[in-house]
Amino acid sequence: MASRVSVGPVPVTSEQTFAQPRGVWSWITTVDHKRIGILYLLTALFFFAVGGLEAMLIRVQLARPNSEFMSADTYNQMFTMHGTTMIFLAIMPLSGAFFNFLVPLMIGARDVAFPRLNAFSYWALLFGAIMINVGWLFGEAPDAGWFAYANLTSSAYSPGNNVDFWVLGIQILGLSSLAAAFNFLITIVNMRAPGMGMMRMPIFVWMTLITAILIILAFPALTVGVTMLMLDRFYGSNFFVPEAGGSPLLWQHLFWVFGHPEVYILILPAFGIISEVLPVFSRKPLFGYSAVVFAGAGIAVLGFSVWAHHMFTVGMGPVPNSIFAISTMLIALPTGVKIFNWIGTVWGGHVSLKTPMLFALGLIALFIVGGISGVMHASPPVDSQHQDSYFVVAHFHYVLFGGSIMGLFSGIYYWFPKISGRMYNELMGQIHFWLMFLGMNLTFFPMHWLGVQGMPRRIYTYDDSQGWNDWNMFVTIGMFVLVVSFVFFAANMLMSLVVGERAPDDPWDGATLEWAISSPPPVYNFRTIPLVTSRIPLWSEKYPEVYGGDDHGAHSYEQPDVDDEHGREHMVPGAHGDSHEHEAHDAHGHDDTIHLPNPSYWPLVTAGGIAIAFGGFLVSYIMVGVGVAMTVIGIFAWALEPAITYVAPTTSDDAAHDHHA
Amino acid sequence: MVRRYLGVSPGRGGSGRLIRLASVAALAVLALSLSGCLDESPQSTAVIGGEHNQRIWDVYNWLWIGSLFVFILVEGLLLYAIVRGRAAPRTAHGRPVPVHGNTRLEILWTVIPAIVIVLIGIPTLTVLRDLSSTPEHDNTIKVDIVGHQFYFEFRYPELEVSSTNTLHIPAGAMIDINLQSADVIHSFWVPRLAGKTDNVPGRTNYMWLIADEPGTYAGQCAEFCGLGHALMRFQVIAHEQEDFDAWVEEQLAPPTGEGDPTIGEQLVTGGSCAACHAIEGTAAQGVVGPPLTGFASRPEIAGVVENTPENLAAWLANPPAVKPGTAMPPPGLTEAQIQHVIAYLHTLE
Amino acid sequence: MASTSHHGGAPHVEEHAHPDPRQYIRIAVVLAIITALEVAIFYIKALEDYDTYILLPLSALKFILVVGYYMHLKFDNKLFTYTFIFGLSVGGGVILSLMALFDRMF
Amino acid sequence: MVDHAMEIPEHPTSTGLNNVKLAMWAFLASDCMFFGSLIAAYMVSKGRNVVGPYPEDLINIPFTSVSTFVLLMSSLAMVMALHGIQTGSLARFRIWTVATGLLGLVFLGGQIYEFTEFAHEGLSISHNLFGSTFFTLTGFHGTHVAIGVIWLFSMVLASFKPGLVTQRKSLNVEVAGLYWHFVDIVWIVIFTLVYLLY
Ligand code: HEA
Ligand code: HEA
Ligand code: CUA
Ligand SMILES: [Cu+2]
């Protein structure tokens, strides 16, 4: 090929190149999407535990009326940090962990489109998380709620540094999310293996794509809102200051323009995960693939038109309330389509109730409850009784815990063998599920009754005479069931990592590409890029008699060069045996080197610079300057260092498989 | 039909264990719900105290029915699918017939929810419109409600009286309310009477309510507004018309001077003060605020001003005005009551 | 761009004509004229009540010219257009709905 | 085509579109939301000042018209630079890119002048709502311009190192151009909404 110019270092033998680099430094400079995924996973689990601990303290405080366990001040920090942590530091990074680890594997790529940007996203996440949490050290953690309504957040009413930590942390986290979103958008659109048309992508990849689009369009609104808040607080501007004509409602609008798409950012990855799990454990392809895809896209588009349903009680007037009520209710339609197609997938399948499947089914069962209460809020008159009461708290824990967390845990169990190379303990997984399912309902279902009985949220105490004692105690007890369930989870994970059985490449009889490679996957993922001819490439290969005719999505527009008849011979082999030897060859027939991104610490330097610059607003402008300088140096060095090493011609037996040659 | 579309492979009935488990769970939920007597709380939204809340329940009932219908239908389908699927044979290659979808089913399960939405949408929009303007009423009283950190102030522009923390209204009268805020966002909520509306600084919001029966209705600020948010409780007292008129008269009358310690004692130990403060040897055993035992011998009130009767009167009228940020809300006493309370507190050596 | 054509299999989607510099200059002239017109309209008293309705379409026209020609969207792959239009409509939608919600038309 | 020794062969992408260019368009879509939110904040805050100075006391249409013209012409220079590199002329690329950057600097100079003038009239970010919204919106636009200027000059510098800026790599210039033009169209909107229609 004309363009193939050999450059770069002298070829090295494959053993040297592909050995997993070791040591802390190799993790700090890693740009390998799998390692970054693992970093995301560990960070997210850590913060999930932190958020869970905060929830525990909240529940202890609320167990009894007039409790003196915590002061109002501490409580306000607690619920603010609980919400913020769970949303920005637990669920989003947990989804990010799966995007990172799996998207390249599922689309048959060696890495993401911009590996160093990926590392940057992770470091920015970590620094943002530290920035938000550092307030605890000073007893000044953020305390204005996870949506930080103006003008309570103005310096007049929140004179401490609490809100500052929130503002600066959110800015950094926003950058992290945006960078990751661009990366995954481009990766999915552009890095698919030959033959994988858009309509052949696994649903998880589709949901990642839609999530990325939502992040790209939703986060700027938050960035702008938070910037204004920052200017209000640090430089006395008047955006949200009513005395100067500013409007606290402007904050609410900007926040929810971001905030509602955000809740779909939180749920769609989980939907994607269970769309992979359900077919595998029902041994039946997903029912209504295109309907599920379009429903996802529909949710995304509609999701931008409903934000003011969080503001039904601010006095927008009957006409806007009606419009937002209707658009909100309409979201039930595409979401329902997804639910029904999942049921259709299970229907008539050979259901195997392994832990991942239990969590996936748990998501469906619980999300329905949360979805229904969501539609109840969508009615403004009714919402005027729900808004800011525990009914809303019940709603969002059903969708967030019953939806996102259930789905993400399904994913953790499902891909644990692939990520760690070990099997988890099935019995303990089942116990975890049943305790969590039970505990979740014990904890969050009675919150509906508390809400109907008029208990407002965000109150650090209530009085005996208010009649909420029993259910609150009940809820707190339920929460301890949840805690016990997570003890099983943590024990299971830790033990399995050490003594778990070695995982085979394909323990679940999976359908997607990641099961074709070893567990854990090699650094380069695929020795040769597979050629995809089906939505369920592995099943088509393993069960040609059943799925032989399955060539859905073959005629997707941007893959004119893939021909099915030819392709079938090159299909990815099953995971039985050593996959490398059978791996199909790149359709283009000339991909005889493996390109791996170079390790780099510049992403870390850049992210660190940004964090230092933002932190400087609380310390001194000198620090801001240092941070900016570091960022600029980081960016230039990043741009100038060579990104990719070309190494390691593939072994000759791959060439033997090259039918195109 | 559906069976064919979904590719059910032949197989026999469900796994008994799962069904039993499911029915036990369902029973448990039902039992819990029933025991959850929703009118336990004075702030229950499920107790209808007046027309506004009545109109809300006109929609709410529809929503509960719709929700129950969707819940049972969809969870039922899910459970059924699981149970069937569990029982299906599991030989190595006897994979279930792959089915890729069915357009008619997709349409069906879009249209049925759409119908549900129309059914709940219509009452929603109707009631929304009805609630957005004051219905005609022959006895309308205007009240301006101003949210403060952390109490509500009630001003009656036409009667030229005002009160804090207790909204006095005549039962059966239309209360035409304007909502404002003096500092941050609060939300005025009396669950038995009406849904909430926010007090947003810089703008005036509007709502109305009617209390059908005389009585006391508990209310609470519903928008997080800072340290004292949880304690920003208040009451609506609906009087018979004559009693209301008498209350207005009393407010307009000049304060009577000397207070009576025995009345004061009743007010303190039997009223809202006792919820937060403790006084040795009395029923007042609250723990939220500082104890008041020995109050008369303290040099200062709340640690900020000298303990004089004038300062104490100012404090009792409006604690946050004396000590911004204090968690103590205005106790909602009349001028006369304040004098009684002062007289009593000064007996506590 | 050109690079994709080296790989036998990849479709030649990004091949597009480079508009000629004279066309760039013509567009610049048009842009300048529209801007002059806009400023002129600003000063014409008679049009004061209608300026919104004249100025907004004029600036939209400038917008389209720059995006279409200078940014090549008119000639480039449609995926770029969809990407941009989606962001533009959500962003524009937010401006318009907030103005409506705050009772503040232009 | 000249095969350059340092050339990195592009990996073919699924759509045939370049990763960086697609990322730039996605970024611009995102930036639409960014400026959309800023403009929305400006528009809903308009006319709610409780103290002067008001826009009508300050805004100087003739002056800003000139800045606007300068920025529009910088867009022309940018396409000329791109055309230069696409047709293989490094010299024309350099001249036009420098011209673009300089026009950008003139615009920024104008903005700094305008800001100081307004400040003399008593306007500041904290003085009134107009000050807050005006400085934030135009300030963020100015920041975008400044980043663009740095980017352009960096490219010119890079072009002196052989192989970094070449005809085959004209895409890098195109991407920078996309950014630059976007900054220009944002100004088109700002000029109309903030200035002509104050
Ligand atoms: C994962 C996150 C997530 C998800 C997916 C959702 C989904 C939905 N949410 Fe929720 N929501 C939150 C997270 C989420 N929400 C959070 C965090 C808050 C609180 C924020 C705060 O104040 O702190 C909130 C608050 C919130 C409010 C504001 C309440 C208030 O403060 O007063 C409203 C109001 O309309 C609402 C509505 C909805 C609706 C209609 C959906 C729909 O998308 C649900 C659609 C799904 C179904 C309906 C079930 C499946 C469908 C069928 C089986 C078909 C048949 C069904 C019918 C015909 C009904 N949500
Ligand atoms: C994903 C989101 C999420 C999740 C999972 C949870 C989980 C829980 N939440 Fe919360 N919650 C929110 C999001 C979430 N919440 C939000 C957004 C708010 C609003 C905040 C605001 O008003 O601003 C809120 C508010 C909120 C309130 C209302 C506070 C108030 O208004 O005053 C309450 C009260 O009970 C509560 C309780 C709980 C409980 C008991 C859990 C439990 O489910 C938690 C159980 C979890 C654990 C116990 C963790 C244990 C984990 C491990 C042991 C794993 C360790 C393993 C390894 C490290 C390997 N939450
Ligand atoms: Cu006032 Cu909450
Ligand atoms: Cu929402």
Side-chain angles (χ1 to χ4, degrees), chain A residues 16-45:
Chain A
Q16 281 174 303
T17 322
F18 298 142
Q20 278 284 2
R22 286 175 180 283
V24 178
W25 184 245
S26 78
W27 282 88
I28 289 176
T29 60
T30 188
V31 292
D32 176 353
H33 69 97
K34 295 180 291 301
R35 286 193 157 197
I36 295 174
I38 290 170
L39 290 173
Y40 264 99
L41 184 67
L42 296 178
T43 312
L45 282 178

Side-chain angles (χ1 to χ4, degrees), chain D residues 139-161:
Chain D
F140 268 106
H141 178 266
T143 314
H144 273 69
V145 176
I147 291 172
V149 170
I150 295 174
W151 189 350
L152 293 175
F153 284 136
S154 315
M155 273 197 322
V156 174
L157 283 182
S159 77
F160 288 98
K161 190 166 176 221

Side-chain angles (χ1 to χ4, degrees), chain A residues 312-654:
Chain A
F312 282 147
T313 62
V314 303
M316 289 186 296
V319 176
N321 275 1
S322 306
I323 295 171
F324 283 105
I326 296 301
S327 61
T328 303
M329 288 181 183
L330 285 180
I331 291 214
L333 301 183
T335 319
V337 166
K338 274 177 180 284
I339 302 258
F340 291 121
N341 279 295
W342 290 329
I343 297 179
T345 307
V346 178
W347 197 285
H350 295 178
V351 176
S352 146
L353 290 182
K354 292 269 171 46
T355 311
M357 182 64 164
L358 285 173
F359 277 95
L361 294 169
L363 183 153
I364 306 180
L366 298 173
F367 184 81
I368 292 170
V369 178
I372 289 173
S373 56
V375 173
M376 295 178 86
H377 309 315
S379 174
V382 170
D383 187 60
S384 70
Q385 291 286 25
H386 286 172
Q387 151 76 217
D388 274 322
S389 79
Y390 264 74
F391 202 93
V392 172
V393 179
H395 159 68
F396 65 70
H397 283 96
Y398 264 86
V399 283
L400 285 169
F401 195 98
S404 313
I405 292 287
M406 280 274 166
L408 291 163
F409 273 85
S410 172
I412 291 179
Y413 281 104
Y414 181 56
W415 284 298
F416 182 80
K418 182 56 62 187
I419 295 173
S420 69
R422 304 274 185 170
M423 295 305 287
Y424 63 85
N425 180 307
E426 182 62 37
L427 178 67
M428 281 174 75
Q430 303 249 348
I431 296 176
H432 172 202
F433 171 77
W434 286 110
L435 281 178
M436 182 160 142
F437 188 81
L438 179 77
M440 140 89 209
N441 285 295
L442 295 180
T443 310
F444 298 119
F445 203 83
M447 289 187 182
H448 291 108
W449 302 146
L450 284 171
V452 170
Q453 294 198 54
M455 177 164 169
R457 64 195 280 201
R458 298 173 163 186
I459 53 172
Y460 77 97
T461 190
Y462 54 95
D463 191 68
D464 202 20
S465 64
Q466 289 176 294
W468 304 319
N469 305 3
D470 300 346
W471 282 124
N472 270 304
M473 178 54 90
F474 188 97
V475 164
T476 300
I477 294 168
M479 199 242 12
F480 281 99
V481 178
L482 277 178
V483 174
V484 173
S485 82
F486 285 111
V487 171
F488 278 90
F489 167 73
N492 193 355
M493 294 295 121
L494 294 176
M495 272 165 51
S496 304
L497 280 178
V498 185
V499 298
E501 235 178 276
R502 292 249 165 233
D505 292 354
D506 181 15
W508 312 123
D509 189 6
T512 37
L513 289 178
E514 77 273 23
W515 303 110
I517 54 178
S518 65
S519 305
V523 217
Y524 48 82
N525 297 352
F526 300 92
R527 172 135 327 168
T528 41
I529 301 298
L531 173 65
V532 181
T533 59
S534 152
R535 262 178 211 159
I536 38 173
L538 260 64
W539 282 0
S540 302
E541 169 77 14
K542 288 182 281 191
Y543 310 105
E545 21 9 296
V546 189
Y547 306 106
D550 199 306
D551 58 352
H552 282 266
H555 306 295
S556 175
Y557 68 101
E558 73 285 48
Q559 291 295 342
D561 58 328
V562 172
D563 102 0
D564 263 276
E565 273 185 45
H566 220 111
R568 188 140 301 126
E569 299 176 355
H570 298 278
M571 249 186 293
V572 180
H576 323 302
D578 179 5
S579 50
H580 309 313
E581 293 195 359
H582 304 285
E583 233 151 46
H585 205 278
D586 183 339
H588 302 292
H590 53 253
D591 198 38
D592 51 358
T593 53
I594 289 178
H595 321 152
L596 288 180
N598 282 332
S600 169
Y601 45 80
W602 294 116
L604 172 62
V605 172
T606 311
I610 290 175
I612 291 174
F614 276 118
F617 282 97
L618 292 177
V619 184
S620 86
Y621 283 116
I622 298 175
M623 188 166 150
V624 176
V626 171
V628 170
M630 219 168 121
T631 311
V632 172
I633 291 171
I635 291 176
F636 273 96
W638 175 341
L640 293 175
E641 76 179 344
I644 297 180
T645 317
Y646 286 74
V647 279
T650 35
T651 49
S652 53
D653 77 350
D654 279 308

